[in-house]
Structures are given as structure tokens and as C-alpha cells.
Amino acid sequence: MKARIAIDGPAGAGKSTVARAVAKRLNLIYLDTGAMYRAVTLAALRNGTDLHDKKALEALTLSLQLDIRTDEKGNNLVFLNGEDVTAAIRDPLINRHVSLVALYPEVRSIMVQKQRELSRRGGVVMDGRDIGTHVMPDAEYKFFLTASLEERAKRRQAELLAAGKTVSYEQVLEEIAARDKIDTEREHSPLRAARDAVIIDTTEMTIEQVVETIIDKVVLV
Ligand code: CDP
């Protein structure tokens, strides 16, 4: 089977950019699992679903038609009931609510099932919070990317600015710290490094350096 690579870590550690680049270099399929939780959150907010009502969230998640496609640059395009919501799921409003939706095992198991279907064939790079610990515990390669909270907030603010969204540094820092807390402390599949993951502190590294570090390990191990 072709290699499976799991990349986990907190918000703004550079997982998505790195995972996409690694997939491209190694000619593997890339799946951004966070985008899936974001799409469910967008649907819930649009429908006015109570984010504390796990049964309603489960029913909504089951009813959604969620498609992740890949464009020629290797980016994931997210379609919700046929609509391209790739940009909409990056809105700060989604950032503020997504970790609440991701708390529920009812929602998670539906997402994880889809993720495992894709991983069965191998040849994937998946990024998220529970990929090395839960979604693909038997992945050949596992990485956990971290960076200081300040650096992650800086990166996320720059990303939002580039997408035309003006948010203050303090606001971004607060938002990712709150999300990390919920993701780390939740009962089901909390954010943590798998025992056999290689931990990379990216605070002082460029994206290219992180990509090289990963590719070196994948080729050499
Ligand atoms: O890109 P960023 O790191 O900000 O977040 P993301 O990867 O898009 O994930 C958004 C949220 O979805 C996370 O904060 C988690 O609450 C949830 N998530 C999860 O619970 N499990 C995953 N495998 C991926 C994301």
C-alpha cells in the first residue's frame, strides 16, 4: 500500500499548507479534515441549528452532502450540497464555532468514517487533530506540528488579511487559544500527539523547512 501520512497539531501551526505541499511533492492525495468540521458548522449556522443540541447536529450531519475535491494546485475544494463553500468555511464566524460542533462523537464518527474510507486505499496525507491517534492510528508516518501561540496568531492573522478579512492580532490570539483549549480538553479524540509521532516545533521555521523535514523522514525511515 502507498504511504499514509498523518499531520496533527493546534490551530495555525501550518498543517494545511505543509500537508498540501508534502502531498504534491510525493504525489499523494491531500485531505484537510478540519474543512469537513468547518462545513458542518457552516450548515448548522445557516440552518439555525442549536450548536448544543447533539441530536439535531447529528441529524444535520447525516443529511448533508459533503464533497471534498482537489483542484489542479492540490487545494481541497469543499462542496456542501453542491455549493462551493471553500471560502465561506474560513470566515471568522466559523472559527469561533467549529470546535463546539467538533465536540460531539455523533458528528465525529460520521466524519471519521468518510476519512477512513479515503485512507483505506493509502497514498494520503491527512491533517487534523486526531489523525495519528484515531483516524489512521496505523499510518506509516505521523507528525505533530506546533509553534508558539504568538507565532500561530501572527500567521493566522496574515492569512485572514490576505483573504480580505481584517481581524486584530489580539482577537485572533484569543480565538485560537480558546479553540486549542476546547480541542485539547474534549473527551472524544482530543488534540494530542500520537506516541509515535515526530514532533516539529515550527516557530522558527519556514514552510519550506518544515516540508523538507517531513519529506526527509518519509524517504529515509
Ligand atoms: O486550520 P485550523 O488549524 O485553524 O483549523 P482546522 O484544521 O480547519 O480545524 C478546525 C476545527 O475543527 C478544529 O479547531 C477542531 O475543533 C476541529 N477538528 C477536529 O476536531 N478534528 C479534526 N481531525 C480536524 C479538525
Side-chain angles (χ1 to χ4, degrees):
M1 196 205 294
K2 282 174 85 182
R4 288 159 301 176
I5 303 178
I7 302 183
D8 290 300
K15 297 181 303 292
S16 304
T17 314
V18 166
R20 192 171 52 233
V22 168
K24 201 166 174 199
R25 286 270 297 273
L26 300 177
N27 202 17
L28 304 173
I29 293 166
Y30 165 54
L31 181 68
D32 173 358
T33 64
M36 299 172 66
Y37 292 94
R38 287 172 177 274
V40 174
T41 307
L42 177 69
L45 291 175
R46 281 181 175 176
N47 281 15
T49 308
D50 177 358
L51 299 189
H52 299 283
D53 182 345
K54 58 181 178 184
K55 283 287 152 207
L57 277 177
E58 179 183 22
L60 173 78
T61 308
L62 281 171
S63 76
L64 296 177
Q65 207 205 313
L66 184 58
D67 279 323
I68 314 275
R69 301 179 205 158
T70 306
D71 71 8
E72 68 286 350
K73 289 191 195 135
N75 296 314
N76 277 179
L77 300 178
V78 184
F79 288 81
L80 187 60
N81 300 327
E83 176 193 348
D84 184 347
V85 295
T86 311
I89 60 169
R90 303 288 154 197
D91 195 85
L93 188 67
I94 305 295
N95 292 342
R96 284 200 291 278
H97 293 94
V98 62
S99 287
L100 296 178
V101 172
L103 279 175
Y104 297 109
E106 289 81 358
V107 173
R108 304 198 64 84
S109 64
I110 301 165
M111 300 290 107
V112 169
Q113 201 183 330
K114 284 178 186 283
Q115 293 156 12
R116 286 188 179 149
E117 258 164 45
L118 187 93
S119 75
R120 255 194 287 280
R121 276 169 278 141
V124 291
V125 181
M126 247 184 237
D127 84 290
R129 301 292 185 285
D130 59 344
I131 309 304
T133 53
H134 184 65
V135 179
M136 309 196 292
D138 51 355
E140 285 78 9
Y141 303 102
K142 298 181 186 178
F143 298 92
F144 191 85
L145 304 191
T146 62
S148 71
L149 176 62
E150 291 71 21
E151 176 63 23
R152 292 189 285 116
K154 222 168 74 188
R155 292 177 189 170
R156 182 47 50 91
Q157 188 194 19
E159 226 172 72
L160 286 166
L161 273 178
K165 302 197 162 102
T166 318
V167 206
S168 77
Y169 170 77
E170 290 72 24
Q171 246 176 319
V172 177
L173 188 123
E174 210 175 289
E175 178 265 307
I176 62 176
R179 205 139 55 85
D180 286 352
K181 185 169 159 55
I182 302 175
D183 290 347
T184 312
E185 294 179 358
R186 74 180 172 219
E187 185 185 348
H188 302 280
S189 312
L191 163 65
R192 63 181 163 77
R195 244 193 299 266
D196 50 349
V198 174
I199 296 176
I200 306 175
D201 184 338
T202 72
T203 309
E204 308 277 338
M205 294 171 84
T206 63
I207 292 289
E208 290 71 29
Q209 287 171 327
V210 182
V211 172
E212 286 307 324
T213 306
I214 291 180
I215 295 214
D216 276 356
K217 298 257 189 282
V218 171
V219 175
L220 293 178
V221 169

